Amino acid sequence: MKKTLSRRARVATGGAVLAAVAAGTFGTVAANASAPESAQDAAVSAVPAAAAGKRDTTTSTHLTIDAAAEAAQAALKAAEKEGQRITVAVVDRNGNTILTMRGDGAGPQSYESAGRKAYTAVSWNAPTSELEGRLENAPNLKDIPGTLFLGGGVPVTAGKAPIAGIGVAGAPSGALDEKFAQAGAAALN
């Protein structure tokens, strides 16, 4: 036969359990805070950080924010000369956005598209117009998250390694978008 406790008894029992748990927790914290370091703890904290060897590291080149802004402004200016309203995005080697500039009157879809084109260009180190053709042989490429295989993205390289991508969207064609992205990249040389 199961015995049922009254509501008052359940509340009192629950409160007592919570008080015991709290006292144990705070007592442990207080004891740890005031206890001297053990010899093992002292030894662990005295170990210097490990130094990585030259063969264990790599150095990478990144585009500065000033250079990214210069490229974006050049792309916007090239589009403006032709009466086009665009958005330009610049991403770093890892595809992280350095900056995005939405030109006056650029369509709302152009913001995300510019970023995805820049990401695609730096990921494959090739202009996105060139990558469009690869979809015929590998149609699943378009399913990779964050990519957009439409003209308008160009890589920026240092040596032969990609260090950034510039993506432009909003002009009536991918060819125009890519022309403006190229103008941005050319401003860096």
Side-chain angles (χ1 to χ4, degrees):
M1 179 185 238
K2 186 176 176 183
K3 184 175 179 182
T4 305
L5 296 175
S6 69
R7 178 181 171 109
R8 177 182 259 175
R10 286 191 312 249
V11 170
T13 303
V17 169
L18 285 175
V21 169
T25 301
F26 292 122
T28 302
V29 171
N32 286 339
S34 64
E37 275 188 32
S38 70
Q40 184 179 3
D41 290 341
V44 169
S45 64
V47 174
K54 286 187 178 185
R55 67 179 186 176
D56 299 326
T57 63
T58 184
T59 302
S60 61
T61 304
H62 296 275
L63 199 62
T64 65
I65 185 70
D66 291 338
E70 184 179 337
Q73 288 290 353
L76 285 168
K77 184 179 271 188
E80 187 178 301
K81 283 182 183 176
E82 295 193 29
Q84 299 301 317
R85 297 180 174 119
I86 64 160
T87 297
V88 58
V90 182
V91 301
D92 68 11
R93 172 61 189 111
N94 300 316
N96 298 312
T97 302
I98 299 172
L99 65 80
T100 303
M101 297 177 111
R102 185 175 174 273
D104 294 334
Q109 79 289 352
S110 66
Y111 190 91
E112 183 178 346
S113 297
R116 290 174 59 191
K117 289 178 182 184
Y119 176 83
T120 305
V122 75
S123 295
W124 276 272
N125 194 22
T128 53
S129 61
E130 180 184 309
L131 297 170
E132 280 183 278
R134 294 185 190 178
L135 289 177
E136 292 174 18
N137 296 328
N140 292 349
L141 283 178
K142 71 180 177 342
D143 298 332
I144 297 173
T147 59
L148 186 58
F149 291 87
L150 296 175
V154 298
V156 175
T157 59
K160 293 185 179 187
I163 62 166
I166 301 173
V168 171
S173 72
L176 277 176
D177 285 340
E178 197 157 307
K179 176 182 176 181
F180 304 139
Q182 289 286 3
L188 298 174
N189 296 325

